[in-house]
Amino acid sequence: MVTVVRSWRIRLVAYVARLERGLGAIPQGFKSPILRRLNPGLLHTEQARVLPIIAPMRTDALPRRPRISLIAAVDGDSGQFLPAAPWDSKLGGAPYRTVGAGWPHRRGADGVEEPLGFLAQINLDQIERWCRRTGSAAVLDGDLPTHGLLQFFLPLMEGWGLMEGDTFVTWYPQVTESEDALDDRILAVIRGDGPTFVAETPNRQLRAGRPSSACTSNAWSWSPLTQPENPVRLEPAAIEPLVQMVSPHNDRSLPAELRFFPEDRESQDAVEKATGTGGTQVGGFPFFTQVDPRPSGTTLQLLMQLDGIDNAVVIGDSGVMNFFISPEDLRTRDFRRVQMNWDCC
């Protein structure tokens, strides 16, 4: 039996090595459009089933990065979600827009310009103040802007344009916390035959920790999709691990020779404690429900991650959204090439 297991491991490692070098035959039917866009050489279905490398625990050599977790702002007594100002970090609702700023659009398949859907925004001034108050380490090697507002838009379609991999990220270098300087609180949604603009209307009945119409088993159900008019305010929080270890078995930024799969339960628990199990966050390392779509040896790093929050927000079926950026683009404040991945069970 020992001989059989060792032989199986040798064949498995050899197969993974062939996948890493792109030598294996890759049937076109196995590659989804988003994976073709991010990593033409990745075999989605088969790679998700193959253990990257089986080896003894060797976590000391694995890189670590600080992260800033984000949670829903909730009233401690009632459990009610707190109101979100136009400039707050939040999911859904109306984005921060100065008067005359316009709205981002994309050209559809028919050549017609269509408004994008607002997904989330992160107030970087609020994050910087929180980091200074708590003494938290700087994320993304200190290259994340310490001021302004990051906004994330996606196509208005089922799955937020996952099959195209489209995303639009913009950065406001300065934020004016005065509603007099801002445009109307509106957002683009799909109604009837096409997109239209509606007013932000917070749902005061939504409570943290209680399933609602924004939390169902439907694979496409989470607040900005089922209730796009309803904002969910976010605030920074210290959630362990504050400094994440890279996942040793499914993060493709890790060199292949350092990857391994923890075999015993004790080792698995230790890795899970060091890496975390997802969460909405800025910086740190990504979590994948399925498989890392980035090419092996990638330098793309996690800019932001959206995950389920307090039974009131879900992202697909136990899903997670990752937004990746290159270090150079982040240093030069160029957010035009941010790439999005959304996977779920």
Side-chain angles (χ1 to χ4, degrees):
M1 180 64 180
V2 174
T3 302
V4 172
V5 171
R6 286 179 178 172
S7 175
W8 176 80
R9 289 180 180 176
I10 291 171
R11 292 198 303 270
L12 179 59
V13 172
Y15 178 55
V16 171
R18 288 178 62 81
L19 287 178
E20 292 294 336
R21 296 195 302 270
L23 299 178
I26 303 176
Q28 288 295 322
F30 284 143
K31 294 190 290 183
S32 69
I34 181 64
L35 291 172
R36 285 201 299 271
R37 179 181 177 122
L38 293 181
N39 179 12
L42 178 62
L43 178 57
H44 185 196
T45 305
E46 288 298 315
Q47 184 78 355
R49 295 193 181 110
V50 176
L51 305 182
I53 291 180
I54 297 181
M57 288 283 288
R58 49 179 187 272
T59 60
D60 291 345
L62 299 183
R64 287 163 169 77
R65 290 179 186 167
R67 67 171 177 175
I68 297 173
S69 297
L70 298 169
I71 62 172
V74 176
D75 182 271
D77 295 325
S78 67
Q80 184 175 2
F81 286 89
L82 298 176
W87 46 82
D88 280 335
S89 297
K90 61 180 178 178
L91 305 176
Y96 173 94
R97 287 189 311 128
T98 54
V99 173
W103 192 277
H105 286 64
R106 73 188 286 263
R107 189 178 300 277
D110 56 1
V112 177
E113 292 284 330
E114 298 177 345
L116 293 169
F118 171 64
L119 181 72
Q121 68 185 27
I122 304 297
N123 187 306
L124 301 172
D125 292 275
Q126 293 175 349
I127 286 182
E128 176 65 12
R129 289 195 293 267
W130 182 84
C131 287
R132 291 183 178 181
R133 186 173 69 252
T134 61
S136 299
V139 299
L140 291 162
D141 300 321
D143 291 328
L144 183 73
T146 57
H147 55 85
L149 198 74
L150 277 179
Q151 293 182 332
F152 298 80
F153 293 82
L154 295 172
L156 278 172
M157 59 178 67
E158 184 179 61
W160 284 114
L162 171 64
M163 302 312 290
E164 286 79 12
D166 288 338
T167 185
F168 176 81
V169 179
T170 186
W171 175 49
Y172 277 89
Q174 301 295 331
V175 175
T176 302
E177 296 188 358
S178 169
E179 297 208 34
D180 293 338
L182 304 183
D183 216 325
D184 295 335
R185 287 206 206 185
I186 60 172
L187 61 148
V189 298
I190 293 293
R191 291 287 187 271
D193 295 332
T196 187
F197 286 89
V198 299
E200 177 182 282
T201 52
N203 180 359
R204 300 303 182 192
Q205 303 305 312
L206 194 60
R207 297 289 191 276
R210 291 184 197 167
S212 70
S213 60
C215 179
T216 72
S217 59
N218 186 295
W220 303 114
S221 179
W222 82 298
S223 183
L225 283 176
T226 59
Q227 300 180 27
E229 302 93 333
N230 180 63
V232 177
R233 182 175 138 201
L234 301 175
E235 57 187 14
I239 297 179
E240 295 290 346
L242 302 179
V243 179
Q244 281 181 297
M245 182 181 76
V246 65
S247 171
H249 58 87
N250 74 343
D251 192 305
R252 295 176 66 83
S253 67
L254 189 65
E257 63 270 17
L258 293 180
R259 297 184 205 161
F260 65 90
F261 190 89
E263 298 183 74
D264 60 273
R265 185 62 194 177
E266 182 179 357
S267 298
Q268 292 171 13
D269 290 344
V271 167
E272 183 175 297
K273 183 178 180 180
T275 60
T277 55
T280 296
Q281 64 187 64
V282 175
F285 286 104
F287 174 82
F288 303 102
T289 305
Q290 297 290 343
V291 62
D292 186 348
R294 298 172 296 171
S296 183
T298 181
T299 59
L300 289 174
Q301 56 190 351
L302 182 67
L303 175 63
M304 185 186 69
Q305 178 171 280
L306 298 183
D307 202 353
I309 299 176
D310 295 327
N311 286 335
V313 174
V314 292
I315 305 175
D317 184 1
S318 300
V320 61
M321 271 187 184
N322 321 110
F323 293 85
F324 298 107
I325 191 170
S326 74
E328 178 61 25
D329 283 348
L330 183 58
R331 283 191 292 269
T332 59
R333 309 296 189 249
D334 185 351
F335 298 95
R336 293 174 298 173
R337 288 181 288 272
V338 170
Q339 297 181 13
M340 180 270 284
N341 176 61
W342 179 4
D343 63 7
C344 54
C345 293

